[in-house]
Amino acid sequence: MLPEVYSCFGTYKPGDVLDDIYDRCPSISIDYAVMEKTDKAFVLPVDFGWSDLGTWASLYELQGKDNVGNVILVRIFYFAILTIVWYRNEENKIIALQGLNHLIIVNTAEALLICEKSQEQAIKQMVAELQTQFGNSVL
């Protein structure tokens, strides 16, 4: 295990806030940080419906959809086809979409992201750049 990751979790005790611990950890895949560094890990095959939610497309696949294929996770008035919308706002405002198709829309209190679904792989880099410029709470 990478010492940088171990130092984040090595002092964990019940009741600690995991978000605070994750904020201190380097952004690295568990494959590289842990699995490739140990000979004490093992794999046990199971079937419990796991899906890696590492992409917006995988989140879209697991969510319920309306009759035209939209994933709506909040109160929204819409006329969009196959659009992913993720909404978080303390003001509970309504978002109305018209004529927008195949989009990922993420609206938080700090930022609004609108991206074509075909460009979802670029989101991670864009978020990293925004966090560097504006801070970690951007998205």
Side-chain angles (χ1 to χ4, degrees), residues 4-6 10 13 15 25 27 33 35 43 45-46 59 61 81 86 92-93 99 103-105 112 114 125 128 135 138:
E4 298 88 359
V5 175
Y6 180 78
K13 53 192 171 310
C25 282
S27 179
M35 301 307 290
V43 177
V46 296
L59 177 64
E61 290 305 317
I81 298 172
W86 182 277
N92 198 27
K93 69 181 173 186
L103 297 177
I104 297 170
I105 302 171
L112 173 64
I114 302 174
Q125 178 62 34
V138 171

Side-chain angles (χ1 to χ4, degrees), residues 8-9 11-21 24:
C8 294
F9 289 94
T11 59
Y12 173 80
K13 53 192 171 310
D16 286 352
V17 178
L18 288 178
D19 285 346
D20 294 340
I21 294 171
R24 294 191 313 262

Side-chain angles (χ1 to χ4, degrees), residues 34-97:
V34 178
M35 301 307 290
E36 290 184 359
K37 309 285 188 233
T38 184
D39 58 0
K40 295 181 170 99
F42 64 93
V43 177
L44 178 65
V46 296
D47 183 11
F48 51 80
W50 169 257
S51 179
D52 182 2
L53 293 179
T55 66
W56 290 102
S58 60
L59 177 64
Y60 175 81
E61 290 305 317
L62 288 175
Q63 295 298 315
K65 296 164 190 66
D66 67 9
N67 62 343
V68 292
N70 290 310
V71 171
I72 308 296
L73 301 175
V74 292
R75 189 180 88 181
I76 295 176
F77 179 75
Y78 58 90
F79 292 100
I81 298 172
L82 299 175
T83 296
I84 299 172
V85 179
W86 182 277
Y87 172 90
R88 184 192 75 181
N89 190 289
E90 291 76 19
E91 299 161 359
N92 198 27
K93 69 181 173 186
I94 296 171
I95 295 176
L97 304 174

